[in-house]
Amino acid sequence: MNDIQYPLKGACQCGSITYQLTEPPLKVIACHCRQCQKLSTSAFSITALVKTESLVIEGELKFWERLADSGNVNGAAFCPNCGNRIYHFNPADPDHIKLKPSTLEDTRVIQPSSHVWVVEKQDWFEIPDGVPTHQRQS
């Protein structure tokens, strides 16, 4: 992954929201909780934890929030036109954003360093050997 050149460009499905990620993610996590399954309409959702300052966004986002099992607020930023989620955030941690990296043009950064909420994992999905797992949140 050393050949990935930053900044990386990203966008929502309709192109109304564009952004640049100026530095590599701190970590990439696959979450298997039921809420992420609903979000992704798949077996899990991928999140790239990035520094807030490393994300430069153009376009006007809409926001939605829900209370997580941890008691933290899980906010979502998305395109008001196509509904594509761009990132999640916790207002109590303003220095970090949970980018939805499938919105990047270059998706090679999507290599999960851990899997969380595997207690709710779909039975048919096999986590690769050697990747750390956590029954709930890490």
Side-chain angles (χ1 to χ4, degrees), residues 107-119:
T107 57
R108 291 179 292 164
V109 300
I110 303 177
Q111 296 185 25
S113 52
S114 66
H115 289 252
V116 298
W117 279 97
V118 297
V119 69

Side-chain angles (χ1 to χ4, degrees), residues 10-19 39 41 58-62 77-87 102-103:
C12 65
Q13 287 180 293
C14 73
S16 294
I17 306 295
T18 59
Y19 68 88
L39 163 67
T41 68
E58 292 186 31
E60 192 166 329
L61 294 164
K62 291 277 274 190
F78 59 95
C79 174
N81 295 318
C82 67
N84 201 182
R85 298 244 181 134
I86 303 299
Y87 66 85
S102 60
T103 59

Side-chain angles (χ1 to χ4, degrees), residues 31-40 42-43 66 117 120-122:
C31 182
H32 297 265
C33 78
R34 289 290 298 139
Q35 291 297 321
C36 281
Q37 290 177 33
K38 287 179 182 181
L39 163 67
S40 67
S42 187
R66 72 173 177 84
W117 279 97
E120 295 182 359
K121 178 182 84 58
Q122 293 294 315

